[in-house]
Amino acid sequence: MPRLLVVSHTPSGNTRAVAVAVRERLADVDGLQLRWLPPLAATPADVAWCDGVAVGTTENFGSMAGRSKDWFERIYYPCRELTPGLPVVAWVRAGEDGAGSCLQLERIVKGLTWRWAQPPLVLHGAWNPEFPEQAATLAQTLAEGLVAGIF
């Protein structure tokens, strides 16, 4: 059974609403094992366990949230050789354009030799009630792709 790791930073009510929508959607994917962790709790062993990763982060001051970046820094070297080609998706909640976070994500994913299942999704600007649905659809794409053997 495929295993999906979700590492989600949810410092606000809006980001928690996105996470709830993602979690509910993933619960409906048959044949998937799910592990959901905040960035400070996720370890290299969690990455080694999974067949795919979904990352949710905020953008703060034009960069990926510190807790999300900290997670990547802690897992980078231990996982670089262990997880080449690991499929990944990411959503970024950004008040502005999300460009700084996406640039960091692109560089990190390239260095890890992971592969994007879909490009990063930027939920930018003022809160939009469609954001939770958009992130849930992104995560579902990866989950169903894992179950179908596409990724």
Side-chain angles (χ1 to χ4, degrees), residues 24-100:
E24 288 174 355
R25 182 73 65 83
L26 293 177
D28 292 337
V29 177
D30 290 331
L32 180 74
Q33 291 182 43
L34 181 63
R35 185 175 292 176
W36 190 287
L37 296 167
L40 294 179
T43 68
D46 295 308
V47 178
W49 167 86
C50 74
D51 300 304
V53 176
V55 177
T57 187
T58 57
E59 180 172 86
N60 301 325
F61 309 111
S63 297
M64 185 182 352
R67 290 183 181 189
S68 300
K69 190 166 180 295
D70 170 77
W71 173 68
F72 278 118
E73 289 174 353
R74 286 184 292 106
I75 64 102
Y76 188 86
Y77 287 106
C79 294
R80 204 166 120 194
E81 300 296 322
L82 292 174
T83 60
L86 192 70
V88 61
V89 296
W91 63 91
V92 177
R93 175 63 186 114
E96 298 299 324
D97 63 8

Side-chain angles (χ1 to χ4, degrees), residues 10-20 127 132:
T10 56
S12 69
N14 289 340
T15 54
R16 284 188 292 281
V18 170
V20 166
W127 174 254

